[in-house]
Amino acid sequence: MASIKDVAKEARVSIATVSRVYNNPEIVSKKTKEKVYSVAKRLGYTPNFLAQNLKKSVVGTIIAAIPDMSNTFFIDIVLGIQDYAESRGYNVLMGRFDPEKFNISKYVKIVKSKAADGIVLATGHNRYYETVAEAEDVPIVTIEEEFMSKPHIYVDNFEAVRKVIDYLLSKGRKRMAFLGYKTEIERAKAFELVMKEYGLEYDKKITWKCDEREEEIPAQTKEYVDLLMKKELPEAIVCASDLLAAGTIKWLAKKGVRIPEDVAVTGFDNVEIAAIFNPGITTVEQPRKSMGQEAARMLINMIEGHEIAKKITFQTKIVIRESA
Amino acid sequence: MASIKDVAKEARVSIATVSRVYNNPEIVSKKTKEKVYSVAKRLGYTPNFLAQNLKKSVVGTIIAAIPDMSNTFFIDIVLGIQDYAESRGYNVLMGRFDPEKFNISKYVKIVKSKAADGIVLATGHNRYYETVAEAEDVPIVTIEEEFMSKPHIYVDNFEAVRKVIDYLLSKGRKRMAFLGYKTEIERAKAFELVMKEYGLEYDKKITWKCDEREEEIPAQTKEYVDLLMKKELPEAIVCASDLLAAGTIKWLAKKGVRIPEDVAVTGFDNVEIAAIFNPGITTVEQPRKSMGQEAARMLINMIEGHEIAKKITFQTKIVIRESA
DNA sequence: TGTTTTTATGAAAACGTTTCCATAACCCAC
DNA sequence: GTGGGTTATGGAAACGTTTTCATAAAAACA
């Protein structure tokens, strides 16, 4: 409640001096400083961010926009963003957005009205989005997808899928199936390409793409397993996420199929459930926290007008558990 | 970049009029309004939040402080908070905080410096925290714990535990054990009281309290199961969280114990893993999203100076799956 | 001691709004 | 027309800061 004026009056100095005590302490005399500090403490004075920022025209807040807050994948990214942002004195505003509708204008508006300085956009989809005119001069860093040639963080999905296939081959599995999502194209494409490159056949009929809504996963994996049971089982199933893998394993086990003896199953992302599921799920881990940190670093540098890289590629690592 | 001044000059009206076009459109003539709108659009004018708020002394941002972002429980609460906040035109700033250290002063400071209007605090612990002087006149709503007689959202853990015990009794299980956390007192206490009330004996030696750090759970549940195997197995184990239940089931299954035939296991919270685990975990669900919404509603009303309730109690419901 | 340099402080403008108060413009009735 | 009552607009203060410029006080030097 107390303003700089109150402190100034009480300490019998000008408001300019009080301001300097907080912003350029070195140029004000020790005596004055002590007087101001003690008065400020007594009055419970905290500089008003709004007024400071109005003057400086910097807010100190960045937005992390993610599609799904109940997904560890995105949460870890946000954790990384927060970690780094904090070290630079920025706050993080978290928001949801729908990758289908790509409704970022809400966030663009927030930045334009100076309630935030920039946006980290994570969709988890490797798409190429269309230009949004208003977003032209808004600082944005994207993770995974590309957008208006804004700087972005890229994860090498091809390399990741190759690692999985290599591992399965080393275990003697050749007949592989792929279970992915309708909207995530890169992993499916990578699977196809790597298989072709290795000269391996795979049955397109047992390669399926799910709707991406999480609540649909139990039903969809069940349907998928029912389909599989009617055909000859593959030796391995590569899933585009740990949840798909978990669902698939669950239904296969119910049919009496032994994992991994009869069928090996792999996931993607290494979320919490991969470790705790029974059997533990072999999966691919992206350095999520580092990705978030790097995104925040790029964004803040961009906001503060420094030079930054246009694209940063992260490598993945395979985490071997019991399911494959 | 364009300010209200630019628009006013270009539209040949005063800045007061431009301001009114956005805040009291009904009192400005149609002709003027149209002129202003068209100029504003051409110049790409968006009112500057900072200046608006400085004047109005309201920010339009609330903080959701939670201990663990990778826990669905808290994420759902935040989802509820966001949902409601959005409907009232507020943004949500998400932050972590350590329930052990109770380091809320960071957030109190943000509010005091007018970068946010208030705080929703969710710890998931039913503790009574000590007074923090600076937080005196800061709008805060807590979920679960009590703090400085700030308004709070309460979940009826006693009733919840009673429901679990009733259900287990109805299945003929009498010898029950409890696996909880060191810091969460209410569920453990409720278990003890209800058992006593029903005149049921329970072996204190097989009631254990874990460290609450999530990464410790696999190791701690393993240790617990090892301990159990040395004694006579109980007929049922009531766990204070789904993760504890999942860990316990996993290790019991590895020892060849059949769930639920030999031992029934129940969880708490109904997070994602409870549904997807094999076997599905019988658990207790709190209306998390509603709790978040209600917390946001209380907080915003508090911020805007309306009358609010001091305490709101939510009921739980039991979700029956395969583990019990 | 008087002059110059350094250091510490204050006055006031500026940031982009909202809003109170005053006034100009209009309309209608007489 | 003149007057009384609306209605639409402008001027200017205020919100709480930062910062430039000017000046007073102190220190350094001769």
Side-chain angles (χ1 to χ4, degrees), chain A residues 13-14 16-17 20 28-29 32 55:
Chain A
V13 294
S14 72
T17 301
R20 278 189 282 253
V28 22
S29 77
T32 315
K55 190 62 193 173

Side-chain angles (χ1 to χ4, degrees), chain B residues 128 154 156-163 165-166 169 176 178 185-202 204 207 209 238:
Chain B
Y128 300 87
Y154 175 74
D156 198 336
N157 275 308
F158 277 83
E159 208 43 47
V161 172
R162 183 189 301 278
K163 280 176 190 161
I165 294 178
D166 283 347
L169 285 174
M176 303 184 198
F178 181 83
I185 51 173
E186 214 179 66
R187 290 173 194 170
K189 210 162 152 193
F191 180 77
E192 199 180 321
L193 283 181
V194 175
M195 290 295 273
K196 197 170 286 174
E197 184 189 323
Y198 285 175
L200 293 171
E201 288 292 323
Y202 76 100
K204 288 214 170 169
T207 281
K209 295 186 178 174
V238 176

Side-chain angles (χ1 to χ4, degrees), chain A residues 7-25:
Chain A
V7 177
K9 193 195 281 177
E10 194 75 7
R12 293 155 196 275
V13 294
S14 72
I15 60 169
T17 301
V18 177
S19 174
R20 278 189 282 253
V21 168
Y22 287 91
N23 299 292
N24 295 76

Side-chain angles (χ1 to χ4, degrees), chain B residues 3 21 54 64 79 196 207 258 268 283:
Chain B
S3 82
V21 168
L54 172 60
L79 242 55
K196 197 170 286 174
T207 281
R258 290 166 308 155
F268 232 97
T283 187

